[in-house]
Amino acid sequence: MNTTRIQSSILNLFQDDNRWSHPGRRVVFWYDPDGQFADAFKELQLDGIKKLQLGDTPFTVKHHLFIEQPEQPFLLYAPFPEPPNQDNWLLDIQLSGLTFSADPAALIYADLGFKQRSLEITIRDRLKFFNSRKRTEALQNMGLPPDTDERALILAMLSVLAGLKVPDAGTLIRQVLLKGLLESDNLLWKDIERFVHPHDFWRVVQEHTGFADATPSLRKLFVQVLITHFEKSLHGPIPIPFKAQVITPGQRAYAFIDQWMRDQQDSPGWKELSQQIAEELNILDAIQNLSPEVLYEAATFEVVDQAIIRACVKALRSPTPDLTLWPNWLQARRTLFWFSKYEPFYCALDAAIKLLELKRQYPEGFRMPAPQLFQAYAKQLYRFDQTYRHFIVASDAAFGDILKGLIEDIENLYTQWYLDELGEAWSDALENSWQLANIPSQTSFFGGHVQPIISRKDPEKAFVIISDALRYEVASELAETIQKELRGKTTIEPLFGVLPSVTKLGMAALLPGMKLELLPGNSDVLRDRLSTQGTAARQKVLDQNSRVEATILTAQELLTMNAEQGRAAISPYRLIYIYHNTIDAIGDKAASEHQVFAACSQAISELVRLLKKICNSLNGTHVLITSDHGFLYQRRPIAEADKRPLPRGEGVLETNRRYVLGRNLEADSGTKAFNLPYDTGGAIAIAPRGSLRFAVQGAGSQYVHGGASLQEICIPVITYHHQRAVKGDEGPARKVGVQVNARARRVTNNRFSLSLVQTEAVEGRWRSRQVTVALYDSESLAPITDVPGAELSSSSVSPSDREFSIRLTVTTTNPPTTAYLIVKDTDDESEILRETWTVNLGITNDFGDF
């Protein structure tokens, strides 16, 4: 044995303050049963430490230590075995000091700085582990405390094998399982067998997860903790074939899987293993008979999402669907593991439910006078179009054929009921003269909205954004987004659009002037006898009729400018018209019309960006956002029965899928004739009733505009007044708050429920919020329950509709009697709410609240 190594270890014993429980002088005993280190003892050079070889009577030694040199540190070398306690006359001194041994295990023990001598045996039984300097240094780097016990040392050694920087049972078990469930192919398992003992690992497993088996295996372990997690997630009994695989009590197993699923780095591996086991155990067939009410919070297996989606589709397609609980069930899925993969399905289902709920509100259809129907569309009916758009966007992103039948049903609801019923009601309500009592026309836009801004004495600029084909339902969503993301006040109101609802006439109507002249068969429209075709012509109309300095830009130009360029571009002007074209640019082409709903989402994003640039970089305050026209679109191809033959004859001057202009024309049963309130040279307009189209050659009949439908002529005007930030202002928007609703702040069962109440509705400046909820140890602030999430996104004005049930499972064996219930925002982990709760699990109940 290397004397230098022995000398270094002995000096470490004397110098390591953490290993001594008293401040007095230090005495170290060295028992050498065979006397093999006698020469090494003689060679030791220990400054300040006196060496003494035992051989005299114990009383002589005690006299020497206590009487002659009571302050002197001693190394007492005994070239004989350590005597039993009852025969050891120096036991009192030995118990107040430390014991050294020069065998490899003892030296390792000494190097690690432990106090419990029994750890020498633990080390000696696993010496192969310490044959590697890399493993030994990794263990030392963990900084295990002197009072480490056998359990902690073995956990640390196993953690080293798993490549961990700190000992952690959950991460260790996770890493072993991630290397494979078959021991023969698991390299980490082979290291455990080679350098420690398998029973060391299984003891850690039992303590951490509750798994215990006479013949344990990695596959058995994973299956049982997985099934236990599944059982704990259900709102009812687990299928009988799996009962035998549930660990009881299962809180620790549930917590193990729950933490693994939420670990950003290791969750992909868990996902693969979960899918593997689900397939091997045929989980999908086993849960087919479980109701959504039992499954809706379970996320252990991906097939649960598939089962819930299929069940929801089945419910939606039933003759008399009961959808009362489905919104809550779908809402609960949003914070679970597999939601991101199946988000398009859940969004489509949510939209389908909303469409059915909207339909139930109108059992008698939409029959009412035209002005009232127009206002009803602007207040509520537009949501049919908006929700249909959301459904189509979501179902387009979904994969497989699960939604195929539902898509057909929604198309029937939208096209054969809503569009037909609303279109017929609107067509019947309209008079032959194109105007509505008490409803402002699109032609009044400049005088009613722009003129009041530029007529003020203050030098504030007026920004007018005209987004081509921004129909009312898209603008409504845009207004909601603006209110949430910007600081100012946002309002939206409808104008009665021009007919035909086409760009050339709509754009002209939005310019200043008194008179509109529509020249049938001509691509131009005159405003006060001035051409409005093209940017230069519109600039001339603005210059002549607005009576202020005005300019025209495109949204694309402005968005590409930096702040300095943007300010220079608008600086001389009081009025800035900005033209934006995303929706019509996509929809008006046959090759891309199927992408028009995606273009609506893109348009909303672009317009919000544009508005932020105007207000934040260009110091704009007054912004108006409007449109030249809306549009009709359905995903289902237009049937021949929904096409009307084009009127023929010399009187026809201009034709389109949605209108005809001409003289001496008459409407038939499928069309309606209108006298127009602007100069047309005597021409009238013929429009197909409802959503019918004229039979025009060529592709591109699903996206249309030009006609008289509400979707085409209900023109949005968003008025935005920006408010500058002031000191103490909390920002442009706030997230909704949360409160806890529980009968008592006390936990008496391992599984318990509470309710979260969303304090504000998501509307205006109030944003939704994602939160986590858990009980935490009041001292360490470590979670003692699982940490489920919840999404607070209800827009209902009724507080009862904004209440969400949360179920928690206590995951620690001996929870503290006092804990904090903490609600955190998932975005930044900030605490929103903290309450003190009492934990009293006098009778452990593994079956939930009663």
Side-chain angles (χ1 to χ4, degrees), residues 645-659:
L646 273 171
R648 302 292 181 183
E650 294 181 358
V652 174
L653 302 174
E654 184 173 324
T655 62
N656 180 281
R657 292 187 190 276
R658 287 287 294 160
Y659 71 91

Side-chain angles (χ1 to χ4, degrees), residues 552-606:
I552 294 176
L553 296 169
T554 67
Q556 186 176 9
E557 288 172 342
L558 195 54
L559 285 172
T560 57
M561 294 178 185
N562 59 34
E564 185 178 350
Q565 292 170 332
R567 292 191 193 104
I570 68 167
S571 179
Y573 306 104
R574 184 78 183 277
L575 175 62
I576 300 96
Y577 264 52
I578 303 167
Y579 289 100
H580 173 259
N581 185 13
T582 294
I583 298 173
D584 207 54
I586 297 294
D588 230 5
K589 299 183 180 68
S592 60
E593 66 174 349
H594 65 285
Q595 300 173 9
V596 69
F597 281 168
C600 292
S601 299
Q602 179 184 339
I604 291 172
S605 298
E606 290 173 352

Side-chain angles (χ1 to χ4, degrees), residues 230-241:
F230 183 49
E231 189 268 344
K232 290 288 184 187
S233 305
L234 297 177
H235 286 268
I238 194 169
I240 292 175

